[in-house]
Amino acid sequence: VIVADQRLVADALEAVLIRQPGMVVVANLRSVAESALRVAELNPDVVILDFRENDEVAAAAVQAICQPNSGIKMVFLASDERENITLAAIDAGACAVLYLSMDSAELIHAVRFVADGGSLISPQTIAALLIGRRKSDGVRETLTSREMETLNLIALGKSNRATASAMVICYTTVRCRVRNVAVKLSA
Protein backbone atom coordinates (compact mmCIF):
# COMPACT_ATOMS: atom_id res chain seq x y z
CA VAL A 1 0.00 0.00 0.00
CA ILE A 2 1.22 3.49 -0.86
CA VAL A 3 -0.08 6.38 1.25
CA ALA A 4 0.91 9.80 -0.04
CA ASP A 5 -0.85 13.12 -0.35
CA GLN A 6 1.31 14.15 -3.29
CA ARG A 7 -0.22 12.39 -6.30
CA LEU A 8 2.84 12.63 -8.53
CA VAL A 9 4.99 10.90 -5.91
CA ALA A 10 2.39 8.22 -5.20
CA ASP A 11 1.78 7.51 -8.89
CA ALA A 12 5.52 7.36 -9.63
CA LEU A 13 6.06 4.91 -6.76
CA GLU A 14 3.22 2.75 -8.00
CA ALA A 15 4.55 2.80 -11.56
CA VAL A 16 7.96 1.61 -10.38
CA LEU A 17 6.70 -1.06 -7.99
CA ILE A 18 4.02 -2.69 -10.18
CA ARG A 19 6.66 -3.54 -12.79
CA GLN A 20 8.55 -5.71 -10.33
CA PRO A 21 8.02 -9.48 -10.26
CA GLY A 22 6.23 -10.56 -7.10
CA MET A 23 5.13 -7.05 -6.15
CA VAL A 24 1.54 -5.88 -6.18
CA VAL A 25 0.34 -2.44 -5.16
CA VAL A 26 -3.03 -3.23 -3.60
CA ALA A 27 -3.91 0.43 -2.97
CA ASN A 28 -2.63 3.90 -3.68
CA LEU A 29 -4.30 6.02 -1.00
CA ARG A 30 -4.54 9.77 -1.29
CA SER A 31 -5.29 10.65 2.32
CA VAL A 32 -3.00 9.91 5.23
CA ALA A 33 -5.89 10.68 7.58
CA GLU A 34 -8.12 7.94 6.12
CA SER A 35 -5.35 5.41 5.54
CA ALA A 36 -5.60 3.59 8.87
CA LEU A 37 -9.07 2.23 8.14
CA ARG A 38 -8.26 1.16 4.59
CA VAL A 39 -4.92 -0.41 5.51
CA ALA A 40 -6.61 -2.50 8.20
CA GLU A 41 -9.09 -3.77 5.58
CA LEU A 42 -6.38 -4.53 3.02
CA ASN A 43 -3.86 -6.07 5.44
CA PRO A 44 -0.81 -5.56 3.18
CA ASP A 45 2.72 -6.77 3.82
CA VAL A 46 4.26 -3.29 3.49
CA VAL A 47 2.92 0.25 3.79
CA ILE A 48 4.93 3.11 2.30
CA LEU A 49 3.77 6.26 4.08
CA ASP A 50 4.64 9.81 3.08
CA PHE A 51 5.83 11.26 6.39
CA ARG A 52 6.64 14.84 7.23
CA GLU A 53 8.19 16.08 10.43
CA ASN A 54 5.63 17.21 13.04
CA ASP A 55 2.75 15.71 11.04
CA GLU A 56 0.34 14.71 13.81
CA VAL A 57 -2.16 13.19 11.38
CA ALA A 58 0.48 10.89 9.91
CA ALA A 59 1.74 10.00 13.40
CA ALA A 60 -1.79 9.00 14.46
CA ALA A 61 -2.23 6.98 11.27
CA VAL A 62 1.06 5.18 11.89
CA GLN A 63 -0.01 4.23 15.42
CA ALA A 64 -3.33 2.93 14.13
CA ILE A 65 -1.67 0.92 11.35
CA CYS A 66 1.21 -0.52 13.39
CA GLN A 67 -0.75 -2.68 15.78
CA PRO A 68 1.46 -5.21 17.60
CA ASN A 69 0.09 -8.36 15.94
CA SER A 70 -0.76 -6.96 12.50
CA GLY A 71 2.47 -8.03 10.80
CA ILE A 72 2.35 -4.93 8.62
CA LYS A 73 5.77 -3.46 7.95
CA MET A 74 5.93 0.33 7.84
CA VAL A 75 8.26 2.33 5.61
CA PHE A 76 8.47 6.10 5.97
CA LEU A 77 8.97 8.15 2.83
CA ALA A 78 10.58 11.52 3.52
CA SER A 79 11.75 14.42 1.43
CA ASP A 80 14.88 15.11 3.45
CA GLU A 81 17.15 13.36 5.90
CA ARG A 82 16.45 14.55 9.42
CA GLU A 83 17.12 12.83 12.68
CA ASN A 84 13.63 13.69 13.93
CA ILE A 85 12.04 11.72 11.10
CA THR A 86 14.23 8.71 11.82
CA LEU A 87 13.34 9.01 15.53
CA ALA A 88 9.64 9.15 14.63
CA ALA A 89 10.14 6.05 12.48
CA ILE A 90 11.83 4.24 15.35
CA ASP A 91 9.07 5.29 17.77
CA ALA A 92 6.43 4.01 15.34
CA GLY A 93 8.23 0.72 14.76
CA ALA A 94 8.94 1.46 11.10
CA CYS A 95 11.45 -0.75 9.35
CA ALA A 96 12.92 1.89 7.06
CA VAL A 97 13.06 5.53 6.13
CA LEU A 98 13.32 6.07 2.38
CA TYR A 99 14.07 9.40 0.76
CA LEU A 100 12.70 10.96 -2.40
CA SER A 101 16.30 11.45 -3.55
CA MET A 102 16.99 7.69 -3.77
CA ASP A 103 16.99 5.91 -7.10
CA SER A 104 14.37 3.34 -8.05
CA ALA A 105 16.73 0.35 -7.70
CA GLU A 106 17.35 1.27 -4.05
CA LEU A 107 13.61 1.67 -3.48
CA ILE A 108 12.85 -1.76 -4.94
CA HIS A 109 15.61 -3.39 -2.89
CA ALA A 110 14.39 -1.63 0.28
CA VAL A 111 10.77 -2.72 -0.18
CA ARG A 112 11.81 -6.34 -0.83
CA PHE A 113 14.17 -6.31 2.16
CA VAL A 114 11.48 -4.92 4.49
CA ALA A 115 8.84 -7.32 3.12
CA ASP A 116 11.20 -10.21 3.97
CA GLY A 117 11.36 -9.00 7.59
CA GLY A 118 14.49 -6.84 7.43
CA SER A 119 15.06 -3.40 8.84
CA LEU A 120 17.04 -0.67 7.12
CA ILE A 121 17.47 1.30 10.32
CA SER A 122 20.70 -0.07 11.72
CA PRO A 123 21.14 -0.80 15.42
CA GLN A 124 24.04 1.68 15.45
CA THR A 125 21.77 4.44 14.08
CA ILE A 126 19.07 3.61 16.61
CA ALA A 127 21.57 3.64 19.48
CA ALA A 128 23.15 6.93 18.38
CA LEU A 129 19.79 8.64 17.98
CA LEU A 130 18.50 7.40 21.33
CA ILE A 131 21.68 8.50 23.10
CA GLY A 132 21.33 11.92 21.47
CA ARG A 133 17.67 12.07 22.52
CA ARG A 134 18.54 11.21 26.12
CA LYS A 135 21.17 13.95 26.18
CA SER A 136 18.82 16.55 24.73
CA ASP A 137 16.00 15.44 27.06
CA GLY A 138 18.38 15.90 29.99
CA VAL A 139 19.35 19.36 28.77
CA ARG A 140 15.69 20.33 28.30
CA GLU A 141 15.05 19.34 31.90
CA THR A 142 17.56 22.01 33.02
CA LEU A 143 15.40 24.78 31.52
CA THR A 144 13.36 26.73 34.05
CA SER A 145 9.59 26.91 33.68
CA ARG A 146 9.86 30.54 32.54
CA GLU A 147 12.55 29.63 29.99
CA MET A 148 10.26 26.87 28.67
CA GLU A 149 7.36 29.32 28.50
CA THR A 150 9.55 31.78 26.58
CA LEU A 151 10.75 29.04 24.25
CA ASN A 152 7.19 27.85 23.58
CA LEU A 153 6.01 31.34 22.67
CA ILE A 154 8.94 31.82 20.32
CA ALA A 155 8.28 28.39 18.79
CA LEU A 156 4.75 29.60 18.06
CA GLY A 157 6.28 32.40 16.00
CA LYS A 158 6.03 35.20 18.54
CA SER A 159 8.68 37.90 18.36
CA ASN A 160 10.72 38.76 21.44
CA ARG A 161 8.57 41.87 21.96
CA ALA A 162 5.32 39.91 21.60
CA THR A 163 6.69 37.27 23.98
CA ALA A 164 7.56 39.97 26.52
CA SER A 165 4.07 41.41 26.22
CA ALA A 166 2.39 38.00 26.58
CA MET A 167 4.51 37.14 29.64
CA VAL A 168 4.19 40.64 31.09
CA ILE A 169 7.95 41.04 31.39
CA CYS A 170 10.59 43.36 29.97
CA TYR A 171 11.87 42.87 26.42
CA THR A 172 15.46 42.66 27.71
CA THR A 173 14.42 39.85 30.07
CA VAL A 174 13.13 37.88 27.08
CA ARG A 175 16.40 38.45 25.22
CA CYS A 176 18.32 37.26 28.28
CA ARG A 177 16.15 34.13 28.54
CA VAL A 178 16.59 33.41 24.84
CA ARG A 179 20.35 33.62 25.26
CA ASN A 180 20.18 31.31 28.31
CA VAL A 181 18.08 28.78 26.40
CA ALA A 182 20.43 28.94 23.41
CA VAL A 183 23.41 28.26 25.67
CA LYS A 184 21.70 25.39 27.49
CA LEU A 185 20.55 23.78 24.24
CA SER A 186 23.82 24.51 22.41
CA ALA A 187 21.78 26.20 19.71
Side-chain angles (χ1 to χ4, degrees):
V1 171
I2 299 166
V3 182
D5 293 332
Q6 298 176 15
R7 296 310 325 143
L8 179 63
V9 171
D11 292 345
L13 282 171
E14 182 174 10
V16 167
L17 294 174
I18 62 173
R19 292 183 181 157
Q20 302 310 309
M23 285 193 191
V24 177
V25 176
V26 295
N28 188 336
L29 305 176
R30 297 173 188 245
S31 171
V32 173
E34 297 171 10
S35 65
L37 296 172
R38 288 295 316 271
V39 168
E41 293 169 6
L42 297 166
N43 195 29
D45 294 322
V46 178
V47 173
I48 300 173
L49 178 86
D50 184 14
F51 192 87
R52 291 177 201 88
E53 193 172 6
N54 300 322
D55 185 345
E56 293 178 16
V57 174
V62 168
Q63 287 180 339
I65 292 168
C66 292
Q67 295 299 318
N69 296 322
S70 72
I72 297 172
K73 289 121 182 136
M74 180 66 63
V75 173
F76 279 17
L77 181 65
S79 59
D80 56 357
E81 298 183 34
R82 291 195 182 163
E83 287 183 357
N84 290 346
I85 292 174
T86 306
L87 278 169
I90 293 166
D91 285 343
C95 299
V97 178
L98 306 180
Y99 301 99
L100 293 175
S101 60
M102 71 188 318
D103 64 44
S104 58
E106 288 178 290
L107 167 76
I108 294 161
H109 169 74
V111 171
R112 286 192 190 285
F113 190 74
V114 167
D116 289 339
S119 174
L120 293 173
I121 304 173
S122 73
Q124 294 84 0
T125 299
I126 294 170
L129 289 172
L130 293 178
I131 288 168
R133 178 191 265 176
R134 275 190 228 110
K135 285 180 183 175
S136 67
D137 286 349
V139 170
R140 277 194 292 267
E141 291 169 5
T142 65
L143 297 177
T144 67
S145 62
R146 293 297 272 179
E147 287 170 341
M148 281 297 293
E149 187 179 351
T150 303
L151 186 59
N152 286 331
L153 288 169
I154 290 171
L156 292 172
K158 303 273 187 208
S159 68
N160 286 355
R161 292 201 188 280
T163 298
S165 179
M167 294 179 71
V168 192
I169 57 176
C170 177
Y171 167 75
T172 56
T173 302
V174 171
R175 285 183 45 205
C176 182
R177 287 200 182 133
V178 169
R179 273 194 303 270
N180 290 343
V181 167
V183 167
K184 287 181 180 181
L185 298 179
S186 300

